[in-house]
Amino acid sequence: MTFRPRIAVTLLLSLALTIPAMAAKRRAGNETPIVTIHGTVTDENTGQPVAFAELANADRSAITDAQGKFTLRVSSGRPTQIIVTRSGYETKIMSLTAAEGQTVAATLKTGAVVLVKMIDGTNYSLDFDVTQFAYAIPFSDYGKSDFANLCTATTEQYRPLKTEIKKVTGPAVSSPGSCCSPSGNALKAKFELKNGTTTDAYFADNCFGYDVLLLGRDHTTGKFRYLSWTKIAEAVFP
């Protein structure tokens, strides 16, 4: 039996359209559904919301708002892991099987913080892992480092790492005989290291006219603070 050319062409076109559609249907049936979950991240000790915490699952992520709330898209129907991180806290890994609209509650354990007392009596707790010595460059950005850029009264360079520092006593005051020049002034504060040594040190960046700062994320609000050493009475490092 011989097919007419027109009928043969029609059958071939029909097969060309049907086979990809069937394959796509099979692939769609094997895909894992994606659902939306909601929740909050709080401090394990205080119960207060943790702002700016990141929740990550595969290639998706979300950031908590000021109330510690988040919305995240995840795969459903099978066990999955969500990694919760934020500076000043220990990382947490949650395992769950997600369902559409599910509510999740996560608590984070507090990590190390720098306790800062200002001369006006205000107190701050800064996340130690992101706290840095900084200086403000006019009309530009900030110079930042985990090392304090200092010099001693004998003009020797003095650069203690933040992990070596026990306490800095201020407020920083302008003092002569600094490393700026034989007759120059720079801001001076007292640095006490964990090895027991105490040194009156000058902020070398101040020699260039920069405002010297302690930069860190506020442990409570999650916002970054730029605190001037001229207004810091004491900074205690963990």
Side-chain angles (χ1 to χ4, degrees), residues 158 165 167-172 188-192 198-201 203 229 235:
Y158 181 54
I165 300 171
K167 181 171 65 175
V168 181
T169 303
K188 179 181 71 172
K190 181 173 290 186
F191 281 72
E192 181 181 348
T198 300
T199 305
D200 286 334
F203 290 91
W229 283 105

Side-chain angles (χ1 to χ4, degrees), residues 48-160:
Q48 295 299 310
V50 177
F52 301 104
E54 181 178 8
L55 297 96
N57 168 256
D59 59 344
R60 301 178 182 86
S61 64
I63 303 294
T64 57
D65 62 16
Q67 287 73 46
K69 297 180 179 180
F70 69 89
T71 298
L72 180 65
R73 303 256 306 157
V74 299
S75 300
S76 68
R78 64 182 183 187
T80 187
Q81 288 188 332
I82 298 175
I83 302 174
V84 189
T85 57
R86 208 207 80 173
S87 63
Y89 287 94
E90 296 181 6
T91 297
K92 184 166 190 174
I93 300 177
M94 300 188 300
S95 297
L96 54 86
T97 300
E100 181 64 40
Q102 183 176 352
T103 299
V104 177
T107 58
L108 296 182
K109 186 176 181 179
T110 296
V113 296
V114 181
L115 302 176
V116 183
K117 182 178 180 180
M118 308 299 289
I119 57 177
D120 65 1
T122 305
N123 296 318
Y124 296 106
S125 292
L126 304 180
D127 295 343
F128 175 69
D129 48 356
V130 294
T131 294
Q132 293 183 298
F133 293 90
Y135 58 92
I137 304 174
F139 312 109
S140 185
D141 200 353
Y142 291 87
K144 296 169 283 188
S145 177
D146 287 340
F147 290 87
N149 187 22
L150 310 165
C151 69
T152 65
T154 57
T155 72
E156 294 177 326
Q157 188 181 52
Y158 181 54
R159 287 175 55 81

